[in-house]
Amino acid sequence: MAALRSPLAHPAAVPLAAADLGGDTARPLDADQSELLDRYVRAFEGYDIAALTSLLHEDVTLNMPPLPLWLRGHADIRDWMLGTGSGCRGSRLVPTVASGVPAFGQYRPTGPWALIVLDISAGRIRGITNFLDVERLFPLFGLPMRFDA
């Protein structure tokens, strides 16, 4: 198993609006940051890939430890989401915070899938890390092992 990096150093799940998000975010989230995250959730849950990629920097990266997956740019992410990543269709997201940045517990229709940690810069998402070790991570973030709509 790959070693975890610093995004998981803070194992407390708190509402995004109350979190100290550091970096390019503010405490509490400003209206633009909240809207960006709301749009991300709507696009992801609706599996609207055009809307999702519109929220991303051109050089955005997506990775998924411990898998050897590393994508860069809109085209790579779009193609992956419409191909191999299409198992994410129908997912639901539950907000949390990881090391002071926005994060989400992702629940596929088949069950918990990933802790998604977002890196935001200049009003767009520049990095997406999907940590797959949900059995270990979800309890650390107060995320349930099943999603009840």
Side-chain angles (χ1 to χ4, degrees), residues 74-133:
H74 289 191
D76 283 354
I77 291 173
R78 180 188 61 245
D79 292 349
W80 185 83
M81 294 287 290
L82 294 172
T84 303
S86 65
C88 293
R89 189 181 307 272
S91 290
R92 295 294 175 250
L93 301 180
V94 174
T96 190
V97 174
S99 288
V101 299
F104 296 91
Q106 179 190 351
Y107 298 83
R108 285 182 168 187
T110 57
W113 177 252
L115 177 70
I116 300 171
V117 179
L118 301 179
D119 179 14
I120 297 173
S121 173
R124 296 203 184 259
I125 297 165
R126 72 174 177 191
I128 304 167
T129 301
N130 299 311
F131 294 95
L132 300 182
D133 189 5

Side-chain angles (χ1 to χ4, degrees), residues 32-55:
D32 291 338
Q33 294 159 347
S34 293
E35 177 60 22
L36 174 68
L37 295 175
D38 288 345
R39 289 172 46 212
Y40 175 82
V41 169
R42 284 193 308 271
F44 195 96
E45 290 186 346
Y47 221 69
D48 183 342
I49 304 306
L52 185 68
T53 57
S54 76
L55 305 174

Side-chain angles (χ1 to χ4, degrees), residues 92 94 107 144-149:
R92 295 294 175 250
V94 174
Y107 298 83
M145 288 308 290
R146 59 181 276 212
F147 179 81
D148 295 317

Side-chain angles (χ1 to χ4, degrees), residues 48-71:
D48 183 342
I49 304 306
L52 185 68
T53 57
S54 76
L55 305 174
L56 309 176
H57 279 274
E58 287 296 321
D59 63 348
V60 63
T61 59
L62 183 149
N63 65 90
M64 195 174 296
L67 301 178
L69 175 71
W70 192 86
L71 306 171

